[in-house]
Amino acid sequence: MTLNLDAHIPEGPLADKWTNHKFDLNLVAPNNRRKFEVIVVGTGLAGAGAAATLGELGYNVKVFTYHDSPRRAHSIAAQGGINAAKNYRNDGDSIFRLFYDTIKGGDYRSREANVYRLAEVSNNIIDQATAQGVPFAREYGGGLDNRSFGGAQVSRTFYARGQTGQQLLLGAYQALARQIHLGTVTLYNRTEMLDLVLHEGRAVGITTRDLLNGEVSSHSGHAVLMATGGYGNVYFLSTNAKACNVTATWRAHRKGAAFANPSYTQIHPTCIPPADEFQSKLTLMSESLRNDGRIWVPDAEADNRAAADIPEDERDYYLERKYPSFGNLVPRDVASRNAKTVVDEGRGIGPLNNGVYLDFGAAMERFGVDTIQERYGNLFDMYERITGENPYEVPMRIYPATHYTMGGLWVDYNLETTVPGLFALGEANFSDHGANRLGASALMQGLADGYFVAPTTLAGYLADWLGTDPVPIDDPAFTESHTETQDRINRLMSINGTHTVDHYHRELGKVIWEDCGMSRNRAGLERALVEIPQIREQFWTDVKVPGDPNGWNQSLEKALRVADFMEMAELKVRDALHREESCGGHFREEHQTAEGEAQRDDENFAYVAAWEYGGEDIQNDAVLNKEPLEFDNVSLTQRSYK
């Protein structure tokens, strides 16, 4: 171990840590904030929230997005809701219960202090979003409505039909747009970060490429905040937008930022099954559908009858059977593994026998079609447009797919990485979800980090740099990064091979899904560590990137991103191989209970695996650093949702 993984967790009782820490942090006075330049990369909920808040505070902010508008950020795709411990339903919720459910849902592989802070500020998020005009659903009396989500026995999820992410992003975007208008924030759209610039060991800027004209540029600042999302597209097929990638975090990793728990990937249980081998993306159906939809498969193998022709006594509502306390609302990792089990048994449904039913028949009988339409109408419409099947008449078909990544850049309590001056927010960091994220917690974390945490802790870092100017972009640190970035572009353009970028990305995705997907075993992981370097070598010798680098070139964009996926995939598998236990979304077949549930090894693996970059031979050069996880407020127990 070579890194000092000091998480800077405040002393004192859990409920007082954040309050005391905010008082202990150094501050930047209002009249001094305009003297600082802050770079924010990404304009999803975390990035837009941070940029808008920092602009409102008076800092000079430069915010970057590779989209044409911040409104295109992938946060827009979140459907079901956002968690908060308001206890409006008076059903026993509290900040501590939200904290506990999140720790348990992550299979006891996250930091207590960070998770409690997340639960603590969750209520502020709802107040802020409501004040911005986010149209949360309301009950008859006018109060905000809640619904339940997987992994909890209370209703704490606030929602706006099936468009919660979109509406929250519009709220953050209008706050951001106001600051752009006032001049505190400068927006760079259609601009992608390709490298992190260090000066004397601290982050001082980024190197970017203009996606319209191909120009490589340098940007300097006192600090860099990365809110660039996750790496789920390493699987090629995922619920992520096609442009989602790992480049920003991976380039930061190569410059010294530790990458934590890369093997922790969430497989979402309610996606539309792929229709053929050449499909390029999967579509997520909101987890909120599990509130009223019942999941089942036929009792018999290879039962190809229509759903309506299968009587009740020949159906297996397997989640309700195995987990009576939670039923269809078990956490995502549990629901996903059980779906895989029944499909592998030969009981899958649909044209390719690759799905399970999500059936609203009983709910429509109980509540009426109008109520179901009010709750989920836009989701039902989307499903029908994609599949040609009317879910009011026939059950939906769903199957698990890659969705969210719990791993990310290692950060301390201040959200600062192992590189001073570099902060990671939202899905780009690892900090809150352990080995499995509960539904409706992604939006919660993104907005917590962006609105409330990073703007506060950043001041504690910047205060030490008062009176200093940003490093000029003609400094050797910037020119070296610029040259390295341009050389990488030129190398890709010069290969002129025979296969497309998508060909190699698909080949990589097949290996990762097969050997490091919903379940893993030693033989498969070792096989992947042989095959991935071979695919990477073929990519760098035979990929064909057509077009001109000095202009709009989506093939070049993809090639730069897939090149980083090739390396990241190897670290992901290396991490999965070293962790000889099952926990949350990381399910090692060698480590399971007699009932087929994940079996942790708390004695040997109750730590964060923070990997240090050591060279391009990832599986041999990567250096493992361990941050022990301490649990003073919850007991480490075998998860049970029965």
Side-chain angles (χ1 to χ4, degrees):
M1 294 190 292
T2 61
L3 292 175
N4 177 24
L5 297 179
D6 184 353
H8 296 111
I9 298 172
E11 298 293 332
L14 188 65
D16 298 335
K17 288 183 185 296
W18 179 229
T19 299
N20 293 340
H21 187 63
K22 286 188 289 185
F23 181 79
D24 292 338
L25 283 169
N26 291 328
L27 299 177
V28 177
N31 62 330
N32 285 329
R33 293 171 192 160
R34 63 178 180 273
K35 301 174 184 177
F36 288 104
E37 301 279 344
V38 180
I39 290 172
V40 178
V41 186
T43 59
L45 290 177
T53 304
L54 291 168
E56 181 75 32
L57 288 169
Y59 295 98
N60 292 304
V61 181
K62 292 183 282 190
V63 63
F64 296 81
T65 178
Y66 55 61
H67 298 289
D68 58 343
S69 166
R71 292 173 298 173
R72 304 280 189 189
H74 193 57
S75 299
I76 200 173
Q79 298 166 336
I82 176 170
N83 286 331
K86 288 286 194 181
N87 194 31
Y88 284 169
R89 289 289 185 90
N90 195 30
D91 56 358
D93 203 7
S94 64
I95 290 172
F96 191 87
R97 188 176 294 278
L98 175 53
F99 155 76
Y100 173 77
D101 286 346
T102 305
I103 289 283
K104 177 183 175 182
D107 218 350
Y108 305 93
R109 289 295 176 262
S110 51
R111 267 195 220 126
E112 282 193 342
N114 288 63
V115 175
Y116 190 89
R117 177 178 61 189
L118 176 66
E120 187 177 354
V121 304
S122 67
N123 293 338
N124 298 339
I125 297 170
I126 303 304
D127 295 340
Q128 168 116 346
T130 303
Q132 289 173 336
V134 173
F136 287 123
R138 293 182 178 267
E139 296 179 323
Y140 178 76
L144 298 185
D145 197 9
N146 293 125
R147 57 190 179 196
S148 52
F149 255 60
Q153 292 179 303
V154 296
S155 294
R156 63 163 65 105
T157 304
F158 296 78
Y159 65 99
R161 297 190 74 189
Q163 306 169 346
T164 313
Q166 179 182 19
Q167 298 302 328
L168 288 168
L169 185 60
L170 288 172
Y173 171 71
Q174 70 181 9
L176 176 61
R178 178 173 181 269
Q179 296 306 314
I180 294 171
H181 173 72
L182 293 173
T184 63
V185 176
T186 302
L187 171 65
Y188 294 83
N189 60 355
R190 302 300 289 159
T191 304
E192 182 164 22
M193 172 185 165
L194 294 183
D195 199 18
L196 177 71
V197 180
L198 303 187
H199 182 267
E200 297 179 350
R202 65 186 180 95
V204 297
I206 61 175
T207 301
T208 65
R209 178 176 181 269
D210 187 306
L211 298 183
L212 297 181
N213 62 29
E215 180 183 1
V216 176
S217 303
S218 300
H219 302 272
S220 181
H222 289 92
V224 177
L225 277 62
M226 287 178 40
T228 53
Y231 48 88
N233 271 350
V234 68
Y235 288 90
F236 186 72
L237 275 180
S238 83
T239 67
N240 289 263
K242 291 297 291 180
C244 293
N245 65 87
V246 76
T247 287
T249 50
W250 188 254
R251 290 287 128 189
H253 174 59
R254 288 178 63 110
K255 288 296 181 70
F259 211 111
N261 301 334
S263 64
Y264 288 171
T265 306
Q266 181 165 85
I267 310 297
H268 197 293
T270 55
C271 300
I272 299 176
D276 60 50
E277 183 181 355
F278 298 102
Q279 191 166 327
S280 62
K281 187 189 180 307
L282 297 174
T283 302
L284 171 69
M285 300 307 298
S286 170
E287 182 176 332
S288 63
L289 294 168
R290 290 201 277 150
N291 276 298
D292 292 311
R294 301 180 69 193
I295 297 171
W296 64 276
V297 292
D299 280 331
E301 296 180 19
D303 189 338
N304 294 318
R305 289 178 292 174
D309 296 333
I310 302 176
E312 279 289 319
D313 60 359
E314 295 180 28
R315 300 179 180 187
D316 181 12
Y317 295 92
Y318 56 90
L319 292 179
E320 298 173 29
R321 170 174 56 83
K322 294 178 68 174
Y323 309 98
S325 293
F326 283 75
N328 296 298
L329 291 178
V330 293
R332 292 173 174 179
D333 60 318
V334 177
S336 294
R337 281 197 298 275
N338 277 274
K340 181 180 187 298
T341 297
V342 296
V343 170
D344 289 349
E345 290 171 351
R347 295 194 284 157
I349 54 87
L352 300 180
N353 303 113
N354 62 347
V356 300
Y357 285 127
L358 180 61
D359 193 340
F360 288 84
M364 286 187 285
E365 288 183 10
R366 187 165 63 253
F367 301 120
V369 174
D370 290 346
T371 297
I372 298 302
Q373 186 174 32
E374 180 182 349
R375 292 176 180 175
Y376 313 111
N378 62 314
L379 297 172
F380 277 39
D381 293 343
M382 181 175 72
Y383 180 87
E384 184 173 10
R385 284 195 299 270
I386 293 171
T387 65
E389 300 170 2
N390 184 345
Y392 294 103
E393 299 175 356
V394 297
M396 288 185 179
R397 293 179 293 111
I398 58 169
Y399 192 68
T402 307
H403 179 54
Y404 187 89
T405 53
M406 286 74 68
L409 294 183
W410 184 92
V411 293
D412 64 7
Y413 190 73
N414 296 319
L415 303 186
E416 190 172 13
T417 71
T418 53
V419 174
L422 175 66
F423 295 74
L425 286 62
E427 194 178 358
N429 73 36
F430 87 102
S431 66
D432 292 348
H433 306 298
N436 174 61
R437 175 176 69 81
L438 293 183
S441 289
L443 303 183
M444 177 174 62
Q445 186 207 351
L447 289 175
D449 289 356
Y451 282 147
F452 300 107
V453 181
T456 301
T457 60
L458 177 64
Y461 171 80
L462 293 176
D464 293 336
W465 296 97
L466 183 63
T468 66
D469 294 326
V471 176
I473 60 173
D474 59 359
D475 186 272
F478 282 95
T479 56
E480 180 181 340
S481 175
H482 187 287
T483 299
E484 290 176 356
T485 300
Q486 191 63 62
D487 288 347
R488 192 162 72 251
I489 292 171
N490 294 340
R491 182 184 173 191
L492 284 167
M493 295 300 302
S494 67
I495 296 171
N496 197 29
T498 59
H499 291 294
T500 66
V501 177
D502 279 346
H503 166 81
Y504 287 108
H505 194 180
R506 183 180 287 109
E507 291 301 305
L508 175 68
K510 289 178 181 177
V511 172
I512 296 294
W513 178 251
E514 183 66 28
D515 294 328
C516 197
M518 268 192 285
S519 62
R520 300 103 187 250
N521 57 57
R522 172 168 289 277
L525 293 168
E526 290 177 342
R527 179 171 61 245
L529 287 176
V530 172
E531 294 177 351
I532 293 172
Q534 294 173 348
I535 298 172
R536 176 153 58 116
E537 182 180 1
Q538 293 167 8
F539 172 86
W540 279 106
T541 57
D542 196 38
V543 71
K544 183 175 183 61
V545 183
D548 188 336
N550 301 314
W552 184 58
N553 188 333
Q554 288 188 303
S555 291
L556 176 58
E557 290 175 37
K558 288 192 289 186
L560 289 162
R561 297 164 183 168
V562 172
D564 291 324
F565 273 136
M566 292 285 179
E567 295 183 8
M568 189 272 155
E570 205 167 335
L571 183 64
K572 176 181 173 64
V573 176
R574 176 72 184 83
D575 184 53
L577 182 61
H578 110 274
R579 190 168 283 276
E580 290 281 355
E581 67 166 351
S582 291
C583 55
H586 170 65
F587 190 77
R588 283 287 297 269
E589 295 172 2
E590 303 95 329
H591 306 287
Q592 55 183 302
T593 68
E595 297 176 324
E597 305 294 346
Q599 189 168 52
R600 296 192 321 271
D601 181 352
D602 295 329
E603 182 177 351
N604 295 303
F605 290 97
Y607 60 76
V608 177
W611 294 90
E612 184 180 358
Y613 184 78
E616 293 189 357
D617 184 2
I618 307 297
Q619 57 186 293
N620 294 314
D621 294 341
V623 180
L624 174 62
N625 299 267
K626 301 176 182 179
E627 179 204 340
L629 292 170
E630 299 178 2
F631 297 92
D632 300 320
N633 298 275
V634 297
S635 299
L636 284 165
T637 58
Q638 175 68 34
R639 276 198 313 170
S640 175
Y641 292 95
K642 296 185 175 183

